[in-house]
Amino acid sequence: MLWLALGLLREGYPIRLTALQPTAELADRLPYPEPPETVLPQSKTAVLAVPTVGADGLLRTPTAPEPLSLQRCFSLLPQGALVLCGTLPAEIRAFADARQITVIDLLQRPELAELNAIATAEGAVALAMEQMSATLFDANCAVVGYGRCGSALCRRLAALGAHVTASARRPEQLARIYADGFTACPTARLSGKLSDCEVVFNTVPAPVLTAEILQRLSPGCILIELASAPGGIDRLAAAAAGLTVIDAPGLPGKVAPRTAGEHLQRVICDLLEEREDSH
Ligand code: NAP
């Protein structure tokens, strides 16, 4: 979010910060944070953290001195404001509608998902390297799901010399996996097909890695969950099989915060320009 603020400032937007504490690296390039009560009522446009809701149900503001509830945040914004954020709970969406606040869910923008897949795939490779006692070169790896993150990850694993099996549910995606040079397997028929894998990455946000599949993995196999919570891995079955599951949410912001901020900035600037053109 700090890198995003810096990018927007460079683009000429008059940025003010609240509920966000600049790091030492960026402090001299960003405005000093102000209290939400000062900033929000005077803001026509607000960008909230992406993802927006923390594990505690509050606005995700890990660097802020005080927690801020989403309800409070939206009640401080003026009527008719524009909010750019991640996915919001239905009750907050309804509260925003009632106050005629326009909400744009940036995570629903396909161009951002495509850009985020780059850092997600790199971060997933880095995690696998950290966890494995062998190289990815010559390792058998599986990627469940062949969407934006899945396909980006397969290409990077293959570039490092891994043997890649990828799964999908649609015939055209299975054909694409084959055309891209990987071993294709329908997601519903993975049982028994991954027994020689050293690492399995899940990108499907639905319960696909079932007990039946997990029981047939080799004992040292590492599972990396990339899909949004609750993910696609049966945790109880994985624990019962003695398998290690690594949760890897929010990789772009963690492994490449500057790039993640720059990508958000690109998407937000395009959005704001589109809105200006249409008004
Ligand atoms: P995507 O392009 O939509 O790909 C999702 C894949 O899962 C597609 O192959 C899709 O198949 C498949 N799929 C969805 N529901 C399924 C089901 N019920 N059964 C079988 N296959 C199913 O999404 P993405 O951008 O790659 O993101 C994948 C997940 O990672 C999402 O949950 C996203 O929120 C998360 N994510 C995580 C990070 C991180 O840092 N960990 C970063 C970015 C995204 P179809 O095409 O047939 O629907």
Side-chain angles (χ1 to χ4, degrees):
M1 297 312 290
L2 295 169
W3 285 107
L4 164 65
L6 190 63
L8 291 172
L9 206 59
R10 283 191 183 137
E11 286 293 317
Y13 288 98
I15 294 295
R16 294 169 76 182
L17 298 186
T18 188
L20 187 67
Q21 194 62 46
T23 53
E25 186 189 5
L26 296 179
D28 58 347
R29 289 185 264 170
L30 286 169
Y32 200 73
E34 300 169 76
E37 295 74 20
T38 315
V39 178
L40 293 177
Q42 297 170 11
S43 299
K44 280 199 298 190
T45 303
V47 185
L48 308 185
V50 181
T52 305
V53 190
D56 51 8
L58 301 171
L59 178 66
R60 203 170 59 87
T61 55
T63 61
E66 302 268 319
L68 182 61
S69 81
L70 284 159
Q71 177 106 12
R72 173 104 182 107
C73 173
F74 277 85
S75 60
L76 285 170
L77 284 164
Q79 272 204 342
L82 169 67
V83 172
L84 307 170
C85 57
T87 311
L88 291 176
E91 68 275 13
I92 298 294
R93 265 319 269 238
F95 185 70
D97 285 349
R99 303 210 59 231
Q100 288 155 7
I101 294 174
T102 305
V103 173
I104 298 183
D105 184 345
L106 296 166
L107 292 176
Q108 297 300 321
R109 305 290 295 191
E111 65 275 33
L112 184 63
E114 207 65 67
L115 292 169
N116 270 344
I118 304 168
T120 306
E122 270 191 29
V125 167
L127 258 180
M129 282 177 165
E130 254 170 52
Q131 296 294 324
M132 288 168 71
S133 52
T135 56
L136 276 169
F137 176 80
D138 207 24
N140 292 317
C141 301
V143 177
V144 181
Y146 203 68
R148 291 163 292 220
C149 292
S151 56
L153 178 55
C154 286
R155 288 194 295 277
R156 283 155 181 81
L157 292 169
L160 287 165
H163 309 289
V164 181
T165 296
S167 87
R169 60 177 168 180
R170 284 183 290 124
E172 77 235 52
Q173 270 194 334
L174 286 164
R176 210 181 119 211
I177 294 171
Y178 171 73
D180 289 345
F182 311 122
T183 304
C185 181
T187 303
R189 289 199 221 126
L190 280 173
S191 182
K193 301 278 168 50
L194 309 179
S195 48
D196 60 353
C197 279
E198 288 169 58
V199 54
V200 175
F201 302 87
N202 178 55
T203 72
V204 175
V208 283
L209 283 166
T210 57
E212 199 196 332
I213 297 172
L214 297 175
Q215 278 154 12
R216 298 175 75 179
L217 296 181
S218 71
C221 178
I222 295 158
L223 291 153
I224 299 185
E225 180 63 271
L226 296 170
S228 299
I233 302 172
D234 181 334
R235 298 312 176 101
L236 289 177
L243 296 163
T244 307
V245 181
I246 315 281
D247 276 311
L251 285 177
K254 284 180 192 151
V255 302
R258 178 163 62 83
T259 309
E262 285 167 1
H263 288 163
L264 263 175
Q265 181 223 313
R266 247 162 89 177
V267 171
I268 288 174
C269 287
D270 287 350
L271 253 165
L272 294 176
E273 272 166 32
E274 265 170 39
R275 286 178 67 85
E276 250 170 48
D277 291 347
S278 67
H279 285 143

